[in-house]
């Protein structure tokens, strides 16, 4: 089986055991961001915010996990990943009001606080 995400080879649907035993292409999100994401997503830094310490923001790491799963679907999976995940999510993440909205070095480099949340009334989820 090829590990090339652009391979034309067709594969049968993997079993749960095969899925959990599949080798990762990148050993962690940092390796993926530096070697795949940033080279594939080049945007104007004047209009798209990016914090070099992206790992402080939960949204970015989830993109890697999805990519690792979809790359097994070959070229169609990667095309769908660009269309359904990468472009909409990265455009949102790097938007002026995305998670990096407050990143403005050297004045502001802290991760913005999370939005407030209160407990639901007792029995709300019943």
């Amino acid at each position: 089986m090829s590990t090339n995400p652009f391979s034309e080879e067709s594969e049968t649907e993997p079993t749960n055991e095969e899925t959990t035993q599949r080798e990762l292409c990148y050993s962690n999100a940092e390796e993926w961001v530096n070697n795949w994401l940033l080279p594939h997503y080049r945007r104007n830094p004047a209009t798209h915010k990016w914090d070099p310490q992206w790992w402080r923001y939960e949204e970015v790491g989830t993109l890697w996990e999805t990519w690792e799963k979809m790359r097994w679907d070959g070229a169609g999976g990667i095309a769908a990943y660009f269309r359904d995940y990468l472009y909409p999510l990265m455009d949102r993440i790097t938007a002026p009001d995305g998670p990096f909205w407050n990143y403005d070095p050297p004045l502001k480099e802290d991760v913005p606080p999370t939005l407030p949340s209160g407990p639901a009334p007792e029995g709300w989820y019943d």
Side-chain angles (χ1 to χ4, degrees):
M1 179 185 310
S2 171
T3 59
N4 178 351
F6 299 104
S7 172
E8 296 292 327
E9 296 175 11
S10 65
E11 299 176 2
T12 59
E13 190 66 29
T15 65
N16 284 341
E17 186 176 321
E18 289 172 330
T19 302
T20 58
Q21 293 179 3
R22 286 186 169 167
E23 202 171 308
L24 296 173
C25 184
Y26 295 99
S27 61
N28 57 53
E30 181 176 2
E31 185 180 322
W32 177 78
V33 164
N34 291 324
N35 295 302
W36 193 91
L37 175 63
L38 296 179
H40 285 86
Y41 188 82
R42 298 172 193 254
R43 297 296 184 271
N44 180 348
T47 58
H48 288 74
K49 290 195 168 255
W50 181 258
D51 184 346
Q53 293 182 1
W54 57 268
W55 38 264
R56 300 185 298 163
Y57 306 81
E58 291 82 4
E59 292 96 332
V60 180
T62 60
L63 285 170
W64 167 61
E65 295 165 353
T66 305
W67 182 88
E68 283 287 355
K69 288 184 172 108
M70 293 192 72
R71 73 184 180 90
W72 288 98
D73 294 337
I78 292 299
Y81 179 78
F82 271 93
R83 181 195 66 216
D84 298 339
Y85 297 96
L86 182 70
Y87 290 145
L89 294 176
M90 283 298 290
D91 287 351
R92 195 70 217 120
I93 287 169
T94 62
D97 63 343
F100 302 141
W101 67 270
N102 201 36
Y103 181 73
D104 187 19
L107 304 174
K108 300 177 195 169
E109 295 186 20
D110 291 332
V111 175
T114 59
L115 297 172
S117 175
E122 190 170 325
W124 181 263
Y125 299 107
D126 294 339

